[in-house]
Amino acid sequence: MSHAVRITVLIENTSKGVLACEHGLSLLIEYAGKRVLLDAGSSDAFCRNAGALGISLTDLDAYVLSHGHYDHSGGFEELFRCVTAAKVYARKEALNMYLSAAGGMHEISVPQNVASQRDRFILVDGLREILPGILLVPHSTPGLDRIGDRNGLYKEQNGQIIPDDFAHEQSLVLDTPHGLVIFNSCSHAGAGNILREVKKACGQKQVYAYVGGLHMKGRKNGREICTLSEEELDSLCDAFRQEGVEQIYTGHCTGTPGFEELRSRLGTRMHRLTTGLQFEL
């Protein structure tokens, strides 16, 4: 059996071809004979793109939600309609209320028409192996609410609006012969923290690749910017180097300025995600 990991980007913010794109992310991951869907974008566009690529979503081995935001979960409404047996692995906090202060406080939760179908979710707590060599790893770093507050991300808890500590976010990790492959769709907690969390959960095994958004896209004076300072960029790149990460595929909330900053520091390790991209690790 091949040990290659094959990834198809079903939806991302950009597209080079005729496939639809939107603010969101959805990845089809194939490894060791298993097929896993990670996230479903904002709408049914990921399903339409899968059809255009000749990919069936009805016979997958697992469906996973990375965290409780609309741009990763909205498309599950269409999936639930088309695939009646599909159940989605999510953190037990994923269906709660989440908000963003960007552009004025507004809700960014899983849409109600998806969240209300609670029987379609497998809500997990702690470390969980969902298939042989395929794990869901929660955050374990203390003080993540400080990152939430700094980035203007909040949650509702007991009637109060407090900084998000990203308990609803998880990493999907493949334990491969080449090393660990980490998927974290937005990396709200910081990729450096995530690298350390995953290594600790997986017995300090080597990380080979990191796939997902890095949450460094913002806007200023009508233009897209990288929200990380030079010091923060250097610290992030040092973390990737120190852990020996050989391949980094990123997009969605990373943004073009952020990607270019990382590529200037990390060179050929950096690759850009875009709708319709298919690649192997």
Side-chain angles (χ1 to χ4, degrees), residues 18-166:
V18 298
L19 297 177
C21 61
E22 65 184 11
H23 178 71
L25 191 65
S26 179
L27 305 175
L28 177 65
I29 302 160
E30 300 174 82
Y31 173 65
K34 303 298 184 183
R35 302 170 72 231
V36 178
L37 179 74
L38 176 62
D39 293 347
S42 302
S43 72
D44 66 350
F46 85 105
C47 277
R48 291 187 276 113
N49 286 344
L53 293 168
I55 294 171
S56 170
L57 301 177
T58 63
D59 55 351
L60 305 189
D61 296 284
Y63 305 83
V64 176
L65 173 62
S66 63
H67 63 286
H69 289 171
Y70 76 95
D71 50 327
H72 299 263
S73 58
F76 281 123
E77 179 182 16
E78 178 67 10
L79 182 78
F80 292 162
R81 187 185 69 80
C82 297
V83 189
T84 56
K87 288 185 178 290
V88 177
Y89 288 94
R91 304 312 305 174
K92 64 183 179 63
E93 300 87 355
L95 303 183
N96 297 342
M97 180 183 288
Y98 298 98
L99 306 101
S100 171
M105 192 72 79
H106 61 284
E107 188 176 352
I108 55 173
S109 312
V110 174
Q112 186 58 31
N113 54 9
V114 175
S116 62
Q117 301 185 61
R118 295 184 74 91
D119 61 323
R120 305 301 299 271
F121 289 89
I122 302 170
L123 299 178
V124 301
D125 193 14
L127 184 69
R128 180 76 166 262
E129 185 175 42
I130 59 172
L131 293 164
I134 303 179
L135 303 94
L136 300 178
V137 180
H139 289 311
S140 56
T141 302
L144 294 181
D145 57 331
R146 293 193 295 270
I147 297 177
D149 196 27
R150 185 170 70 241
N151 290 332
L153 293 170
Y154 300 92
K155 65 179 182 178
E156 187 277 334
Q157 183 171 296
N158 300 323
Q160 302 290 319
I161 303 301
I162 61 174
D164 194 352
D165 62 356
F166 311 116

Side-chain angles (χ1 to χ4, degrees), residues 4-19:
V5 180
R6 182 172 175 80
I7 298 113
T8 302
V9 184
L10 297 178
I11 203 76
E12 199 264 343
N13 298 40
T14 62
S15 178
K16 293 182 177 179
V18 298
L19 297 177

Side-chain angles (χ1 to χ4, degrees), residues 216 225-226 228-230 233-234 237 254-267 270:
M216 49 198 293
I225 62 166
C226 173
L228 298 191
S229 67
E230 292 289 323
L233 284 164
D234 289 340
C237 293
T254 300
T256 298
F259 180 85
E260 294 301 335
E261 291 283 0
L262 293 175
R263 186 163 61 179
S264 71
R265 291 165 169 79
L266 294 172
M270 296 299 305

